[in-house]
Amino acid sequence: MTMASSKKKLEGLVAATITPMTENGEINFSVIGQYVDYLVEEQGVKSIFVNGTTGEGLSLSISERRQVAEEWVTKGRNKLDQVVIHVGALSLKESQELAKHAAEIGADGIAVIAPFFLKPWNKDVLINFLKEVAAAAPALPFYYYHIPALTGIKIRAEELLDGIQDKIPTFQGLKFSDTDLLDFGQCVDQNQQRQFAFLFGVDEQLLSALVMGATGAVGSTYNYLGKKANQMLEAFEQKDFSSALNYQFCIQRFINFVVKLVYYSKRMQSRTSQRERHIRQGLRGSQT
Ligand SMILES: CC(=O)N[C@@H]([C@@H](O)[C@H](O)[C@H](O)CO)[C@@H](O)CC(=O)C(=O)O
């Protein structure tokens, strides 16, 4: 593990990688090398977030998660700036095992979501869980992955961050996948003195988060719209806000298209299954 690389601040675009699969549902390790090259050369994206929501980390077995993490770290060596591994799990032991493994393979950081089945009922319970995971990889920067719509844990990030470094010395930043810009803004505002990374995770609203002080972004669309998003970051940096807005609108148009596609295909699916139910009921009726 290179301590120097793990100490530098995670910034800019971070692609939440898709886990490539074969038609049989096995992990297709053979394309990960090309994937790294594509991100760097075609998208200008040099950091990745592995086994998160986009990577379906929580649907993989522990052994698969370890292998996927290892492959990305190996293939990303000397090409990527940072490889952060999501190691959240319902079982503390599994999460610690993955954290330890991430350190062993030379990852640059780990991130953890809140356990979402038997849920932490307050901030202290959640912090204690995160602390135990972080302690399993004491040399790795630790990021809290806030994604309340999927975990169902509504503890505000701003509240969680209050005093977090006293409990988790390796705490280095927040991956904020929520649309509550009051909460996000207050995370930034209340931690101005600290060198935390504030990584926004709602790609369609990144420009608003940049205004609030986001230092970077983690998301699925940076896999293929990284170039556009980088142009937006550049325009924002140059204070060319009208160009930045044009880039954000362009990204929004794409995401909006996909959102509608998913919505309509779900409606079609539910109609299809309704029809199937009727047919099956009819068949059953005719058999009696
Ligand atoms: C719910 C979800 O998947 N959100 C994505 C976004 O990148 C999202 O796909 C994008 O904003 C489009 O809606 C990321 O926040 C998730 C992410 O970074 C991850 O895969 O860990």
Side-chain angles (χ1 to χ4, degrees):
M1 189 187 64
T2 52
M3 285 302 288
S5 73
S6 64
K7 288 278 185 250
K8 70 178 184 267
K9 192 165 167 181
L10 181 58
E11 53 192 7
L13 294 184
V14 181
T17 51
I18 295 157
T19 303
M21 299 273 177
T22 66
E23 280 179 15
N24 311 326
E26 297 301 323
I27 294 160
N28 188 358
F29 294 103
S30 72
V31 297
I32 290 181
Q34 283 164 259
Y35 194 157
V36 168
D37 293 340
Y38 173 78
L39 286 175
V40 174
E41 287 158 25
E42 305 293 326
Q43 300 297 334
V45 171
K46 296 202 73 184
S47 291
I48 58 171
F49 187 84
V50 174
N51 286 338
T53 308
T54 308
E56 301 174 85
L58 287 148
S59 306
L60 303 178
S61 70
I62 295 298
S63 142
E64 286 175 324
R65 289 175 73 171
R66 291 167 62 108
Q67 290 174 68
V68 169
E70 201 158 345
E71 192 65 15
W72 280 108
V73 168
T74 308
K75 292 293 172 356
R77 198 159 286 137
N78 303 323
K79 291 184 176 174
L80 294 171
D81 283 344
Q82 296 215 28
V83 179
V84 175
I85 313 289
H86 171 246
V87 301
L90 291 183
S91 147
L92 173 62
K93 287 246 162 85
E94 284 181 355
S95 204
Q96 286 175 318
E97 177 195 325
L98 291 169
K100 207 162 159 264
H101 176 255
E104 280 161 10
I105 60 175
D108 300 288
I110 51 170
V112 176
I113 52 164
F116 51 85
F117 186 61
L118 295 176
K119 298 179 175 41
W121 57 91
N122 65 28
K123 169 193 158 172
D124 293 334
V125 177
L126 177 53
I127 288 274
N128 278 337
F129 180 90
L130 302 176
K131 178 182 157 187
E132 298 282 331
V133 182
L140 279 192
F142 179 91
Y143 301 89
Y144 171 59
Y145 180 0
H146 181 67
I147 184 157
L150 289 182
T151 59
I153 289 136
K154 311 280 185 213
I155 298 165
R156 299 180 78 234
E158 170 243 318
E159 202 192 325
L160 195 86
L161 259 54
D162 185 19
I164 196 166
Q165 259 185 334
D166 300 338
K167 296 277 172 60
I168 307 175
T170 52
F171 182 83
Q172 193 108 24
L174 171 71
K175 167 171 160 23
F176 190 95
S177 284
D178 189 41
T179 53
D180 183 347
L181 286 174
L182 169 62
D183 191 14
F184 184 71
Q186 282 307 289
C187 288
V188 178
D189 186 27
Q190 291 170 23
N191 293 283
Q192 309 254 19
Q193 322 310 335
R194 300 175 183 90
Q195 285 300 302
F196 293 160
F198 295 103
L199 306 157
F200 197 65
V202 183
D203 313 0
E204 51 277 43
Q205 299 180 354
L206 176 56
L207 184 56
S208 321
L210 289 175
V211 176
M212 286 289 161
T215 57
V218 184
S220 64
T221 62
Y222 310 131
N223 284 297
Y224 46 88
L225 287 178
K227 211 168 168 180
K228 234 349 129 221
N230 267 324
Q231 284 170 316
M232 181 174 81
L233 294 187
E234 180 64 30
F236 183 78
E237 187 82 4
Q238 302 297 320
K239 299 192 169 41
D240 179 358
F241 301 123
S242 84
S243 297
L245 186 57
N246 275 333
Y247 289 123
Q248 182 71 92
F249 281 156
C250 177
I251 292 167
Q252 282 197 342
R253 283 194 289 266
F254 169 78
I255 295 176
N256 204 36
F257 174 77
V258 176
V259 166
K260 283 185 183 158
L261 213 60
V262 172
Y263 174 74
Y264 288 122
S265 77
K266 271 195 187 144
R267 283 189 53 186
M268 287 306 288
Q269 256 172 21
S270 68
R271 265 191 224 145
T272 317
S273 47
Q274 226 172 21
R275 213 164 34 222
E276 275 169 9
R277 254 200 316 275
H278 287 153
I279 294 169
R280 261 186 263 122
Q281 272 163 3
L283 281 177
R284 240 179 275 136
S286 69
Q287 279 162 3
T288 52

